[in-house]
Amino acid sequence: MITRDSFLGNDDIEGFVSDLKEWPNSSYGNDHITHNVSPFVSFYFLYDSKHHLDTSLLMVDIHEQFKRLTGNPYLVGTHPDSERPHPYGSKRLPDLREFARKNGPVASRIAACTGRLHRRRSEGT
């Protein structure tokens, strides 16, 4: 006879579901395993800092292609420097290519956009 211990008990599952209702980018786990649900897309790239501008401009191209492929779902954009939310397309949000050119390799986050009006409920970690 095979016996198994469940990683998540009923109380854990109920707590996880409750957390997801409050914060849709939640995870549950320990040092060995983590379960998470995330409605967000994040891209992380390592690159030689000598090529920061080329890489940043390529990332802006990828961001624009993603926006076209998904039908431009954004409602809110986060300013890459101040991290303040503004309506997507606002004049307060900089041109991403110009931002990349002016800020050099320290600009680690070029674009943060969401299709939700309430940034607190949609910002990824």
Side-chain angles (χ1 to χ4, degrees):
M1 181 166 147
I2 298 173
T3 59
R4 294 185 192 162
D5 292 329
S6 177
F7 172 68
L8 296 174
N10 287 338
D11 291 340
D12 296 322
I13 293 170
E14 288 175 19
F16 190 29
V17 168
S18 177
D19 289 346
L20 287 171
K21 289 177 183 176
E22 281 297 311
W23 183 253
N25 192 29
S26 297
S27 64
Y28 182 86
N30 58 37
D31 291 340
H32 303 289
I33 189 169
T34 301
H35 294 281
N36 56 38
V37 177
S38 180
F40 311 107
V41 177
S42 298
F43 299 99
Y44 297 94
F45 293 89
L46 296 176
Y47 59 91
D48 186 338
S49 62
K50 290 184 250 180
H51 305 291
H52 69 87
L53 182 58
D54 292 337
T55 304
S56 295
L57 295 175
L58 179 60
M59 293 306 303
V60 172
D61 289 341
I62 292 169
H63 166 75
E64 290 177 348
Q65 285 291 333
F66 183 78
K67 183 171 74 169
R68 278 193 286 280
L69 287 170
T70 57
N72 193 16
Y74 305 130
L75 299 175
V76 176
T78 302
H79 192 285
D81 194 28
S82 69
E83 296 187 14
R84 293 184 182 206
H86 301 286
Y88 191 76
S90 167
K91 292 181 181 181
R92 292 182 177 199
L93 296 173
D95 175 84
L96 295 177
R97 283 183 179 76
E98 199 58 36
F99 182 84
R101 285 185 185 96
K102 287 182 180 177
N103 289 280
V106 297
S108 63
R109 183 166 133 169
I110 294 291
C113 307
T114 180
R116 313 257 333 234
L117 289 176
H118 300 289
R119 180 176 173 258
R120 184 177 70 77
R121 292 187 164 270
S122 60
E123 184 68 30
T125 56

